[in-house]
Amino acid sequence: MDAESSREHMVAAAIGIRSNPAYRSLQRTLPIGVDSPADEAIAVRTVFISWAHSNTDWSSDETKEWQAQVADLAATLVELGIDADIDLFHLDEAIDWTRFGPSGIQRADVTAVVMSAAWAERWSGRNEPTVGAGAAAEADTLRGLFARNQAEWQRRVVIIMLPGVPDTVVPPDLERVSRLYVDLSDPDSIEAVVRLVTGQPRFPKPKLGRVPVLEPDADYRGSGGAVSELRLRLLETRRRLRTLKSRHTDAARDEMRELTLRESALQGFIDAVLKSED
């Protein structure tokens, strides 16, 4: 596809993105947007989009439709507050295309691979050696990052499956990569990308709470039962004292005096019980 056709599709995507139903829905439901107070708490993540421009058996119209989908995806992510980059955004710039993709992958927090049969060929090295040099270089860079640190690579790579792309094209050695199915007409599928990239899970794990101090069973009369109960009460008293040390109020000081007396009494009882058992 020539540069003029690419620019036309990008302009169309930029103009039409705000009318996209997925974009409008997400702006209403997700805490992302210029006027959202939640913005300050959400880290801005950079995303590089790696893709292959065309499959070898596609017609010109199929290639144009594919490029339009990828351009729309990139523009949607940017509109939703994700700093996404793709070669389509730089068609009118003086770019060193031999280094654009590899350097973009290394700088980005996340690389989103828009999967296709053509990209899979670049990854596996099965493409014709005279085509697809850009995507092949990006695939090689990803392989290099994998060799350097597998855990970090796992966190930094995600596969995007657009409508019409079958799972069978995903190379077997990429099965471990998170896979998201995106349809720009479906707000839920876009939300999944935003959540993964920005670290906003649907069910966030709560902060670890404090283990409660539990009283022993009232009928328990085992060996050392009385001492165990006294020790539990002493432990809770000391925990409360530690909490109050950072509070500089009259009420806190009064409570600390009472707890200090209780602490001494409990320790005395424990010592007395242990001494009597001896």
Side-chain angles (χ1 to χ4, degrees):
M1 180 178 295
D2 58 29
E4 186 60 34
S5 297
S6 298
R7 284 192 290 272
E8 290 176 0
H9 282 290
M10 283 303 300
V11 171
I15 293 175
I17 190 66
R18 291 186 180 276
S19 62
N20 187 303
Y23 171 71
R24 293 201 308 271
S25 177
L26 280 181
Q27 286 288 18
R28 290 194 299 268
T29 60
L30 291 181
I32 296 178
V34 175
D35 300 323
S36 172
D39 282 350
E40 296 180 359
I42 301 173
V44 176
R45 304 291 299 281
T46 56
V47 175
F48 181 81
I49 298 177
S50 177
W51 68 300
H53 288 227
S54 179
N55 288 346
T56 55
D57 59 346
W58 279 355
S59 66
S60 176
D61 288 341
E62 287 175 314
T63 298
K64 290 180 180 179
E65 175 59 28
W66 173 249
Q67 180 172 281
Q69 286 189 68
V70 177
D72 203 11
L73 169 66
T76 300
L77 293 179
V78 173
E79 290 284 351
L80 290 172
I82 296 174
D83 188 7
D85 200 13
I86 189 172
D87 55 1
L88 295 173
F89 290 160
H90 305 278
L91 295 179
D92 297 312
E93 303 174 19
I95 294 291
D96 180 355
W97 295 111
T98 63
R99 293 181 173 85
F100 175 81
S103 62
I105 289 173
Q106 294 180 57
R107 289 194 307 268
D109 297 314
V110 176
T111 295
V113 175
V114 182
M115 185 55 63
S116 65
W119 197 96
E121 289 177 355
R122 274 63 163 174
W123 171 264
S124 303
R126 294 181 288 105
N127 58 295
E128 292 293 332
T130 57
V131 298
E138 293 164 12
D140 287 345
T141 300
L142 289 174
R143 284 187 176 278
L145 294 176
F146 177 82
R148 183 183 304 169
N149 188 319
Q150 297 172 33
E152 180 183 357
W153 182 89
Q154 187 79 42
R155 292 190 297 268
R156 291 178 58 184
V157 180
V158 61
I159 291 175
I160 303 295
M161 304 293 291
L162 293 180
V165 179
D167 285 314
T168 53
V169 306
V170 179
D173 52 352
L174 286 178
E175 288 293 333
R176 67 184 292 173
V177 182
S178 297
R179 197 179 306 182
L180 299 178
Y181 298 83
V182 176
D183 183 342
L184 291 176
S185 65
D186 178 10
D188 290 337
S189 69
I190 308 301
E191 179 177 334
V193 179
V194 176
R195 287 190 180 280
L196 185 146
V197 171
T198 62
Q200 298 184 81
R202 285 176 294 170
F203 303 99
K205 183 179 180 179
K207 292 182 179 179
L208 186 65
R210 191 182 71 177
V211 176
V213 177
L214 305 176
E215 295 288 343
D217 190 284
D219 297 329
Y220 177 64
R221 292 294 182 269
S223 176
V227 174
S228 297
E229 182 177 350
L230 290 171
R231 283 174 172 166
L232 285 172
R233 293 180 179 178
L234 179 60
L235 178 62
E236 181 61 25
T237 299
R238 287 174 174 172
R239 285 176 175 170
R240 180 60 179 167
L241 279 169
R242 288 196 295 270
T243 301
L244 291 171
K245 283 182 180 180
S246 61
R247 303 179 185 179
H248 306 289
T249 65
D250 292 338
R253 284 189 284 270
D254 290 341
E255 186 177 353
M256 285 185 66
R257 281 192 290 270
E258 294 179 4
L259 291 174
T260 301
L261 293 174
R262 184 186 301 175
E263 180 185 25
S264 299
L266 288 169
Q267 186 63 64
F269 290 146
I270 292 172
D271 294 341
V273 172
L274 295 177
K275 186 175 181 180
S276 65
E277 291 180 352
D278 292 340

